Amino acid sequence: MDLLIKQARIEDGEELKDVGITAGKIVEIAPSIETAANETIEANGRVLIPGLVESHIHLDKALIADREPNNSGTLQEAIAVTAKLKPTFTEEDIYQRAKQALEMLIVHGTTAVRTHAEFDPAQGFTGFDTIMRLKEEYKDLIDMQVVAFPQEGIFQAPGTDKMMIEAMEKGADVVGGIPYNDAPANEHIDLVFSIAKQFDKDIDLHQDFADEADETSIVYLCEKTIKEGYHGRVSVGHLTALHAMPPETLTEVISLMAEAQINVMPLPATDLHLGARNDPYNVRRAVTPIRKLRDGGVNICLGSNNIRNAFTPYGNGDLIQIAMLAVPVAHLGGAADLPTVLPMITTNTAKALKLADYGLAVGKKADLVLLDTKSKSNALIDIPERVYVIKNGRVTVKIEKTIEILR
């Protein structure tokens, strides 16, 4: 074997297992494997999980918080600040920042990522092309899906429609959109579907990012998804407006979303930071209703969105910290709830991104993370070190740490 992981904990309450890896695939899982291996990792009872999967991030806008602050903390100022800064972004600037952010993800155990990459008639494809370059350069360390993302809208930025087509021809993996930042929203959705069908690609939208639910397009999106037979091929980020819907309306919307098999990417770090800024008291959490969506049969995938910019002035690329943040925000700390959270940064997201051969089972791709905890039920609340990160059967990250309490 190429790599042998000895005595790892895969599930609580079960005996420890050895995991054998050859040619980038898991070839055996057993209580004891005696086959010789080129490299052996002694897990010593630590928890082994599939690689973390980042569902929604903007690498091209990372690490610019120190350049221009968002003093009000609102979405409106975040958009304005970023629009002001974008003309100053050079190819080398974007490359160095995105590379740094990408390496943050890798060190923290992320083996696959979906990143939105911007373009518009004023700035051209500088950011998009740079992200495509990084996708190729880092392919041995992380699988990257690039979303063609029209941040400034399509209709309100004439020429963007043609750029959407060009982005797909350049190799974008997913068709993006932002209905709430364009008018009319439904026509924006229609155009995104038209492009997606033309190139046979999935769709990922920034959807209904607002404190109120008075101008949503999620129902239209669901109906369009069903009509076009795109079940399971549409994902949405933010969707914060749902938290303001009356219960009876929300129940109907969730049912429709489940029928359309919409994947939802809540982004708690950003949504908590920007949301409900105008509430004078009893300030709302302004995060999409994760528990209700989950219980209604909707696939939930947690994401970072941004790292240290006007939308999210903090973050270090650690998806486990994002998941831990979601636990109190969405009341997911109960005994029955906590086990449902780790899948929101692993298997749920792999399903949404349609990652082939993902998982911790024989025959699956050996994208794995060994956590410095011996209890899977505590894998989130411990916020453990990623002791080893394995990509395609090869160790890509190894962390050694010595802690000594001095008396």
Side-chain angles (χ1 to χ4, degrees), residues 55 236-244 250 254 257 262-272 285-304 321-333 337-345 348 380:
S55 64
V236 297
H238 299 292
L239 199 66
T240 56
L242 260 63
H243 82 100
L250 180 60
I254 290 176
M257 291 177 68
I262 303 291
N263 304 296
V264 177
M265 283 78 167
L267 309 167
T270 298
D271 299 343
L272 281 168
R285 299 181 183 205
V287 175
T288 198
I290 296 173
R291 278 177 61 95
K292 292 181 179 179
L293 286 161
R294 180 203 66 187
D295 293 347
V298 175
N299 188 38
I300 299 292
C301 319
L302 298 168
S304 301
Q321 288 195 13
I322 293 294
M324 186 58 224
L325 178 60
V327 169
V329 167
H331 291 161
L332 295 170
D337 291 307
L338 196 56
T340 71
V341 183
L342 186 59
M344 295 179 187
I345 55 173
N348 290 12
L380 288 179

XYZ file of all heavy atoms in Angstrom, residues 55 236-244 250 254 257 262-272 285-304 321-333 337-345 348 380:
497
model
N -18.145 25.351 0.628
C -19.224 25.460 -0.361
C -19.338 26.829 -1.014
O -19.904 26.949 -2.107
C -20.563 25.123 0.300
O -20.877 26.077 1.309
N -28.012 27.936 -3.434
C -28.183 29.348 -3.090
C -27.398 29.671 -1.826
O -27.369 28.893 -0.877
C -29.665 29.731 -2.898
C -30.437 29.547 -4.197
C -30.320 28.923 -1.786
N -26.755 30.832 -1.835
C -26.037 31.305 -0.667
C -26.789 32.415 0.019
O -27.609 33.109 -0.598
N -26.538 32.600 1.297
C -27.182 33.612 2.146
C -28.631 33.227 2.447
O -28.922 32.637 3.466
C -27.098 35.013 1.539
C -25.711 35.519 1.334
N -24.878 35.836 2.376
C -24.998 35.762 0.202
C -23.715 36.260 1.910
N -23.752 36.205 0.584
N -29.560 33.634 1.587
C -30.994 33.353 1.751
C -31.498 33.850 3.110
O -32.386 33.262 3.721
C -31.271 31.853 1.580
C -32.723 31.454 1.279
C -33.153 31.979 -0.084
C -32.885 29.938 1.304
N -30.944 34.939 3.575
C -31.264 35.425 4.918
C -32.694 35.927 5.050
O -33.254 35.925 6.156
C -30.303 36.548 5.324
O -30.353 37.599 4.353
C -28.872 36.025 5.407
N -33.310 36.369 3.961
C -34.667 36.910 4.030
C -35.668 35.903 4.583
O -36.712 36.291 5.131
C -35.116 37.397 2.654
N -35.360 34.616 4.473
C -36.303 33.606 4.964
C -36.548 33.732 6.460
O -37.614 33.352 6.946
C -35.793 32.196 4.648
C -36.428 31.525 3.421
C -36.112 32.307 2.161
C -35.959 30.083 3.291
N -35.581 34.273 7.201
C -35.764 34.367 8.651
C -36.888 35.338 9.012
O -37.415 35.288 10.126
C -34.464 34.813 9.333
C -34.216 36.290 9.301
N -34.477 37.116 10.366
C -33.748 37.093 8.320
C -34.172 38.362 10.049
N -33.730 38.369 8.803
N -37.263 36.212 8.064
C -38.300 37.205 8.318
C -39.673 36.771 7.813
O -40.644 37.516 7.934
C -37.914 38.539 7.668
N -43.238 30.431 5.381
C -41.954 29.745 5.393
C -42.121 28.244 5.179
O -41.360 27.626 4.428
C -41.228 30.011 6.711
C -39.856 29.345 6.871
C -38.897 29.819 5.780
C -39.286 29.621 8.259
N -40.279 26.265 2.179
C -39.350 25.159 2.444
C -39.804 23.893 1.728
O -38.986 23.158 1.168
C -39.208 24.926 3.958
C -38.441 26.089 4.591
C -38.505 23.599 4.239
C -38.324 26.009 6.099
N -38.826 24.275 -1.804
C -37.386 24.124 -1.945
C -36.969 22.655 -1.891
O -36.097 22.215 -2.649
C -36.659 24.919 -0.853
C -36.766 26.422 -1.000
S -35.973 27.304 0.370
C -34.271 26.896 0.071
N -33.215 22.204 -3.805
C -32.301 23.335 -3.729
C -31.298 23.104 -2.600
O -31.678 22.752 -1.487
C -33.069 24.644 -3.470
C -34.139 24.894 -4.546
C -32.096 25.829 -3.374
C -33.611 25.224 -5.906
N -30.011 23.295 -2.880
C -28.991 23.253 -1.838
C -28.832 24.649 -1.247
O -28.776 25.632 -1.987
C -27.643 22.815 -2.422
C -27.729 21.487 -3.144
O -28.016 20.458 -2.543
N -27.483 21.498 -4.449
N -28.753 24.741 0.077
C -28.647 26.046 0.728
C -27.311 26.161 1.450
O -26.938 25.286 2.237
C -29.803 26.279 1.719
C -29.628 27.613 2.443
C -31.137 26.270 0.980
N -26.599 27.262 1.184
C -25.316 27.545 1.820
C -25.465 28.720 2.782
O -25.261 29.878 2.403
C -24.239 27.884 0.778
C -23.682 26.691 0.032
S -24.738 26.069 -1.271
C -23.608 24.972 -2.155
N -25.844 28.492 4.040
C -25.823 29.580 5.018
C -24.383 30.023 5.244
O -23.464 29.197 5.246
C -26.402 28.938 6.286
C -27.100 27.692 5.820
C -26.319 27.240 4.621
N -24.193 31.321 5.449
C -22.855 31.883 5.608
C -22.831 32.683 6.911
O -22.875 33.918 6.900
C -22.525 32.757 4.394
C -22.765 32.058 3.046
C -22.723 33.044 1.893
C -21.759 30.925 2.834
N -22.805 31.991 8.047
C -23.065 32.655 9.330
C -22.100 33.772 9.690
O -22.509 34.762 10.296
C -22.997 31.508 10.341
C -22.252 30.404 9.654
C -22.571 30.540 8.215
N -20.826 33.652 9.335
C -19.867 34.695 9.702
C -20.235 36.027 9.045
O -20.211 37.086 9.682
C -18.455 34.278 9.319
N -20.581 35.981 7.768
C -20.969 37.192 7.047
C -22.362 37.651 7.425
O -22.602 38.846 7.670
C -20.911 36.941 5.529
O -19.571 36.619 5.165
C -21.370 38.160 4.752
N -23.296 36.716 7.453
C -24.695 37.088 7.665
C -24.925 37.674 9.053
O -25.725 38.612 9.221
C -25.586 35.872 7.415
C -25.459 35.351 5.990
O -24.958 36.108 5.132
O -25.840 34.199 5.731
N -24.223 37.170 10.053
C -24.314 37.748 11.396
C -23.683 39.138 11.441
O -24.193 40.044 12.117
C -23.605 36.849 12.405
C -24.354 35.613 12.878
C -23.403 34.696 13.644
C -25.532 35.996 13.752
N -30.922 37.741 14.505
C -29.716 37.038 14.079
C -29.511 37.152 12.570
O -28.387 37.061 12.089
C -29.799 35.559 14.483
C -29.919 35.397 15.984
C -29.989 33.951 16.401
N -30.177 33.858 17.849
C -29.820 32.816 18.579
N -29.287 31.759 18.012
N -30.017 32.813 19.869
N -30.583 37.303 11.837
C -30.509 37.542 10.386
C -29.751 36.456 9.639
O -29.023 36.712 8.682
C -29.899 38.911 10.100
N -29.914 35.220 10.077
C -29.347 34.066 9.386
C -30.508 33.195 8.920
O -31.521 33.081 9.620
C -28.417 33.266 10.322
C -27.918 31.994 9.649
C -27.234 34.129 10.755
N -30.385 32.615 7.747
C -31.464 31.767 7.236
C -31.814 30.684 8.262
O -30.937 30.230 9.004
C -31.066 31.142 5.881
O -32.233 30.681 5.199
C -30.085 30.001 6.047
N -33.068 30.276 8.366
C -33.493 29.323 9.408
C -32.971 27.906 9.164
O -33.664 27.037 8.615
C -35.015 29.391 9.346
C -35.336 29.840 7.959
C -34.219 30.759 7.571
N -31.752 27.663 9.580
C -31.047 26.413 9.275
C -31.802 25.193 9.789
O -31.969 24.200 9.066
C -29.623 26.457 9.862
C -28.809 27.565 9.170
C -28.930 25.109 9.703
C -27.441 27.803 9.791
N -32.248 25.241 11.028
C -32.946 24.084 11.605
C -34.203 23.735 10.819
O -34.457 22.572 10.505
C -33.328 24.355 13.062
C -32.235 24.138 14.070
C -32.730 24.520 15.453
N -33.865 23.714 15.864
C -33.794 22.615 16.607
N -32.618 22.179 17.014
N -34.873 21.960 16.958
N -35.000 24.738 10.513
C -36.258 24.489 9.800
C -36.006 23.982 8.389
O -36.730 23.098 7.894
C -37.116 25.753 9.793
C -37.648 26.134 11.168
C -38.506 27.380 11.119
C -39.049 27.715 12.513
N -39.867 28.942 12.509
N -35.003 24.523 7.739
C -34.655 24.037 6.401
C -34.185 22.586 6.467
O -34.613 21.742 5.676
C -33.569 24.917 5.792
C -34.020 26.305 5.310
C -32.827 27.233 5.169
C -34.772 26.200 3.992
N -33.312 22.304 7.429
C -32.824 20.931 7.603
C -33.980 19.982 7.867
O -34.088 18.908 7.241
C -31.835 20.888 8.773
C -31.251 19.518 9.077
C -30.767 19.437 10.518
N -31.871 19.537 11.472
C -31.724 19.620 12.788
N -30.513 19.629 13.315
N -32.787 19.700 13.575
N -34.849 20.340 8.797
C -35.968 19.472 9.155
C -36.979 19.339 8.019
O -37.729 18.361 7.967
C -36.666 20.008 10.409
C -35.783 19.919 11.649
O -34.748 19.233 11.593
O -36.130 20.568 12.665
N -36.965 20.313 7.099
C -37.862 20.256 5.955
C -37.291 19.500 4.771
O -37.903 19.473 3.696
N -36.125 18.885 4.959
C -35.556 18.061 3.896
C -34.665 18.799 2.918
O -34.364 18.283 1.838
N -34.207 19.999 3.293
C -33.328 20.775 2.415
C -31.875 20.481 2.771
O -31.508 20.411 3.948
C -33.619 22.288 2.559
C -32.634 23.110 1.735
C -35.052 22.589 2.118
N -31.045 20.307 1.769
C -29.620 20.026 1.973
C -28.901 21.297 2.406
O -28.866 22.289 1.666
C -29.002 19.478 0.685
C -27.580 18.990 0.878
O -27.244 18.401 1.901
N -26.726 19.227 -0.114
N -28.289 21.269 3.604
C -27.632 22.446 4.171
C -26.120 22.278 4.128
O -25.582 21.267 4.559
C -28.076 22.672 5.634
C -29.593 22.907 5.710
C -27.322 23.839 6.259
C -30.053 24.204 5.102
N -25.427 23.307 3.622
C -23.967 23.290 3.501
C -23.426 24.625 4.016
O -23.704 25.669 3.430
C -23.546 23.140 2.043
S -24.520 21.973 1.075
N -22.669 24.601 5.078
C -22.138 25.832 5.660
C -20.914 26.309 4.881
O -20.116 25.501 4.406
C -21.766 25.608 7.122
C -22.930 25.220 8.037
C -22.411 24.748 9.388
C -23.882 26.395 8.217
N -20.763 27.636 4.777
C -19.625 28.189 4.051
C -19.078 29.437 4.707
O -19.705 30.043 5.569
N -17.882 29.836 4.271
C -17.179 30.986 4.856
C -17.581 32.305 4.220
O -17.568 33.349 4.871
C -15.662 30.805 4.689
O -15.216 29.635 5.307
N -14.466 26.146 12.491
C -14.876 27.329 13.244
C -16.189 27.897 12.703
O -17.041 28.349 13.469
C -13.779 28.387 13.216
C -12.580 28.039 14.065
C -11.661 29.226 14.317
O -12.028 30.366 14.054
N -10.473 28.949 14.811
N -16.362 27.865 11.391
C -17.625 28.319 10.800
C -18.775 27.441 11.288
O -19.848 27.922 11.667
C -17.540 28.291 9.262
C -16.536 29.331 8.753
C -18.915 28.516 8.632
C -16.921 30.773 8.987
N -18.556 26.132 11.290
C -19.596 25.209 11.758
C -19.881 25.413 13.237
O -21.040 25.368 13.668
C -19.160 23.767 11.487
N -18.834 25.642 14.018
C -19.026 25.877 15.441
C -19.815 27.164 15.676
O -20.637 27.247 16.592
C -17.664 25.940 16.144
C -17.732 26.030 17.647
S -18.610 24.644 18.397
C -19.613 25.526 19.589
N -19.595 28.173 14.855
C -20.360 29.406 14.947
C -21.844 29.155 14.675
O -22.724 29.721 15.330
C -19.817 30.432 13.943
C -20.529 31.783 13.869
C -20.474 32.513 15.207
C -19.917 32.642 12.757
N -22.121 28.264 13.719
C -23.515 27.958 13.369
C -24.244 27.223 14.482
O -25.475 27.296 14.569
C -23.564 27.134 12.090
N -23.505 26.524 15.336
C -24.152 25.719 16.384
C -24.995 26.583 17.318
O -26.200 26.332 17.476
C -23.094 24.889 17.156
C -23.710 24.275 18.404
C -22.543 23.791 16.253
N -24.448 27.629 17.961
C -25.316 28.456 18.809
C -26.257 29.350 18.020
O -27.390 29.606 18.455
C -24.323 29.291 19.631
C -23.082 29.335 18.808
C -23.032 28.026 18.086
N -25.800 29.808 16.859
C -26.641 30.708 16.055
C -27.945 30.032 15.646
O -29.018 30.641 15.675
C -25.864 31.182 14.809
C -26.805 31.841 13.804
C -24.768 32.150 15.218
N -27.861 28.766 15.258
C -29.032 28.045 14.758
C -29.595 27.057 15.778
O -30.434 26.234 15.425
C -28.666 27.313 13.475
N -29.149 27.161 17.036
C -29.624 26.257 18.087
C -29.413 24.790 17.697
O -30.332 23.988 17.692
C -31.097 26.526 18.402
C -31.333 27.830 19.082
N -32.571 28.448 19.114
C -30.491 28.662 19.759
C -32.482 29.589 19.771
N -31.230 29.737 20.177
N -28.158 24.474 17.361
C -27.818 23.133 16.919
C -26.955 22.389 17.937
O -26.291 21.417 17.601
C -27.086 23.192 15.573
C -27.905 23.716 14.389
C -27.003 23.949 13.186
C -29.029 22.758 14.040
N -26.982 22.843 19.188
C -26.133 22.237 20.196
C -26.753 21.077 20.949
O -26.090 20.454 21.786
N -29.035 17.313 17.622
C -28.703 18.270 16.565
C -27.228 18.286 16.209
O -26.864 18.381 15.032
C -29.120 19.683 16.988
C -30.621 19.858 17.048
O -31.274 19.551 16.050
O -31.127 20.295 18.098
N -26.372 18.206 17.221
C -24.945 18.377 16.981
C -24.382 17.405 15.941
O -23.579 17.812 15.087
C -24.174 18.258 18.299
C -22.735 18.767 18.297
C -22.679 20.225 17.853
C -22.112 18.606 19.678
N -24.796 16.144 15.931
C -24.263 15.232 14.903
C -24.644 15.603 13.475
O -24.044 15.090 12.525
C -24.873 13.874 15.292
C -25.201 13.996 16.743
C -25.618 15.422 16.922
N -25.642 16.478 13.312
C -26.050 16.868 11.960
C -25.194 17.999 11.394
O -25.335 18.338 10.211
C -27.523 17.313 11.923
O -27.672 18.583 12.587
C -28.425 16.292 12.596
N -24.310 18.573 12.206
C -23.565 19.754 11.771
C -22.304 19.394 10.985
O -22.022 20.008 9.945
C -23.207 20.654 12.967
C -22.488 21.917 12.482
C -24.467 21.042 13.740
N -21.537 18.407 11.437
C -20.331 18.021 10.705
C -20.632 17.679 9.238
O -19.863 18.077 8.342
C -19.626 16.862 11.401
C -18.270 16.441 10.821
C -17.270 17.601 10.842
C -17.706 15.236 11.575
N -21.732 16.970 8.947
C -22.052 16.728 7.532
C -22.260 18.004 6.718
O -22.114 17.985 5.495
C -23.345 15.903 7.598
C -23.262 15.200 8.913
C -22.622 16.199 9.838
N -22.579 19.130 7.393
C -22.807 20.386 6.677
C -21.527 20.973 6.110
O -21.569 21.911 5.305
C -23.491 21.403 7.594
C -24.887 21.009 8.024
S -25.625 22.233 9.137
C -27.149 21.383 9.622
N -20.366 20.432 6.530
C -19.089 20.865 5.938
C -18.343 19.684 5.317
O -17.184 19.808 4.942
C -18.201 21.588 6.968
C -17.972 20.735 8.222
C -18.798 22.940 7.338
C -16.962 21.329 9.206
N -22.748 16.700 3.109
C -23.810 17.508 2.497
C -23.260 18.359 1.363
O -23.862 18.475 0.287
C -24.458 18.429 3.533
C -25.300 17.705 4.556
O -25.249 16.482 4.666
N -26.071 18.441 5.329
N -16.440 18.918 16.447
C -16.653 20.348 16.237
C -16.303 21.146 17.479
O -15.542 22.113 17.422
C -18.101 20.627 15.839
C -18.538 20.208 14.443
C -20.005 20.549 14.243
C -17.704 20.904 13.384
